Amino acid sequence: MRIWLLAYGVLYVVIEMVGRSLETIGWPQITALDVATAVTDAFLTVSVCLALLLAGQLGLRRWSRVRSVPPRGPAPPRVLAGPPLGVRSWRAPLALPPAAPVRSPYSVGAYGPGWSRRGRRVAPAFPEEPGRLL
């Protein structure tokens, strides 16, 4: 089928749908919003119909491909020519980093540093050196 004939047919259907929508409103009361709504509805309808046709065509194509392939039997066992070849690694083994010391969960407190169990702020331990304290 020629593509121009299909495009002309789709355009004709869109124009007919827009005309039908505007005719139901009444020609004297038509506004720009009515025209935009009619055009949007027509293009939405056409695009949904084309999507359904495309999905049907792709489904038929896949179904026919599945039906045309003969079923396969079990795969033959693989015969190895010899034992597997060993390969030496050119990389040196990586050393693991030293483990971090494990802190006790009670060393900081359940509520974080600077807070007591009752939700009150605890005064931090100030350094011995003189300086500005906020």
Side-chain angles (χ1 to χ4, degrees), residues 11 13 36-37 39 53 63 92 106 110 119 122 124:
L11 183 63
V13 168
T37 302
V39 169
L53 285 174
W63 180 255
Y106 301 108
V122 177

Side-chain angles (χ1 to χ4, degrees), residues 104-116:
S104 169
Y106 301 108
S107 64
V108 176
Y111 302 100
W115 294 93
S116 70

Side-chain angles (χ1 to χ4, degrees), residues 55-69:
Q57 181 185 8
L58 291 175
L60 284 175
R61 199 181 286 176
R62 182 168 174 106
W63 180 255
S64 65
R65 191 179 326 140
V66 168
R67 299 266 317 211
S68 65
V69 174

Side-chain angles (χ1 to χ4, degrees), residues 2 13 34 43 68 73 83 87 113 115 124:
R2 307 269 179 179
V13 168
D34 295 330
F43 279 121
S68 65
V87 178
W115 294 93

